Amino acid sequence: MDKEFYYCELSDEIKRKITGISFPSNQDSIRISYDDLRYVHVLYVGFDGKHHEGELIVNAKIACDTVSIFKELFEAGYEIEKIRLIDEYGADDELSMADNNSSAFNYRVIANTDILSNHALGLAIDINPMYNPYITFIDGKMNVAPDNSKLYVNRDIEFPHKITSEDLCCVVFKKYGFEWGGDWEGKKDYQHFDKNN
């Protein structure tokens, strides 16, 4: 096992950290268990060009792929600003996205719906979300998340950290069988990658 890029079962410490935050304290009706999830440790190149440690929680089904993806991105020097557990933001997705934090597991519904997100199953990962917003249209009105990403809605202009179909991040995720939210019809989620095994 690589000492910097690895995954493992959730430790008691991690369980304590996430329970009641990203993982519901009432576990009777939820569709996932601790045993379904894995803690992932990676290195990444920050916007400062330095190497940083990152933490994710994902479904066991995608844990190996997740490690491989982030190792490839790191070795290529691909820049990611932050990779922290969403529990550091009180499991508040908007706060995490607004801080440009790349994250995965969070037992929550899709924004503006009552449908369980693939993040709730540990099957989705968001990358540099402030630069790659989630865009939906409700009653003809555009909704952008996070709120501070409106400058990056226009994907025809050039700016750093923009994920496109040719971007290395997108290419690598797709190589491992993930779908990209930027390919969706209607709504667009440029930060989002998921894999339904």
Side-chain angles (χ1 to χ4, degrees):
M1 181 185 296
D2 192 304
K3 66 177 183 177
E4 300 293 356
F5 293 87
Y6 65 87
Y7 65 91
C8 58
E9 293 183 358
L10 303 190
S11 66
D12 289 341
E13 179 184 359
I14 291 294
K15 290 176 185 177
R16 285 192 296 270
K17 182 173 184 175
I18 69 174
T19 302
I21 306 176
S22 67
F23 193 97
S25 51
N26 179 0
Q27 298 160 29
D28 294 337
S29 61
I30 68 172
R31 290 172 49 193
I32 198 160
S33 71
Y34 295 124
D35 292 340
D36 296 320
L37 300 172
R38 295 293 181 268
Y39 170 84
V40 176
H41 182 279
V42 299
L43 290 182
Y44 65 96
V45 179
F47 286 5
D48 57 5
K50 298 178 181 178
H51 296 173
H52 301 271
E53 294 183 64
E55 297 179 297
L56 297 155
I57 291 175
V58 301
N59 195 293
K61 295 176 182 178
I62 68 166
C64 184
D65 287 344
T66 299
V67 168
S68 297
I69 288 165
F70 280 91
K71 190 168 186 179
E72 283 197 37
L73 293 176
F74 174 76
E75 289 174 348
Y78 190 89
E79 292 184 348
I80 300 172
E81 187 167 17
K82 299 178 180 76
I83 306 177
R84 299 173 179 164
L85 297 184
I86 202 161
D87 305 86
E88 295 186 28
Y89 299 86
D92 186 316
D93 194 47
E94 177 69 25
L95 286 179
S96 175
M97 289 189 297
D99 197 36
N100 203 35
N101 179 51
S102 299
S103 66
F105 174 75
N106 188 15
Y107 202 84
R108 63 172 177 81
V109 296
I110 298 170
N112 303 310
T113 76
D114 58 1
I115 301 167
L116 204 60
S117 167
N118 268 343
H119 286 282
L121 303 177
L123 294 171
I125 301 171
D126 291 343
I127 303 292
N128 287 334
M130 192 184 76
Y131 296 90
N132 299 286
Y134 174 47
I135 303 165
T136 55
F137 293 87
I138 300 174
D139 297 327
K141 180 183 177 186
M142 184 171 68
N143 290 270
V144 180
D147 189 60
N148 64 344
S149 66
K150 290 175 181 172
L151 288 173
Y152 308 106
V153 168
N154 184 353
R155 310 307 283 181
D156 292 328
I157 62 174
E158 291 300 319
F159 52 85
H161 317 300
K162 179 175 72 169
I163 297 175
T164 66
S165 58
E166 292 83 27
D167 183 67
L168 179 66
C169 181
C170 192
V171 171
V172 173
F173 268 97
K174 285 184 174 182
K175 183 173 85 170
Y176 287 89
F178 283 73
E179 294 185 358
W180 177 47
D183 288 331
W184 294 348
E185 294 294 328
K187 65 182 179 181
K188 296 289 186 182
D189 199 350
Y190 294 106
Q191 64 195 257
H192 181 95
F193 298 91
D194 65 28
K195 186 174 183 179
N196 292 305
N197 292 57

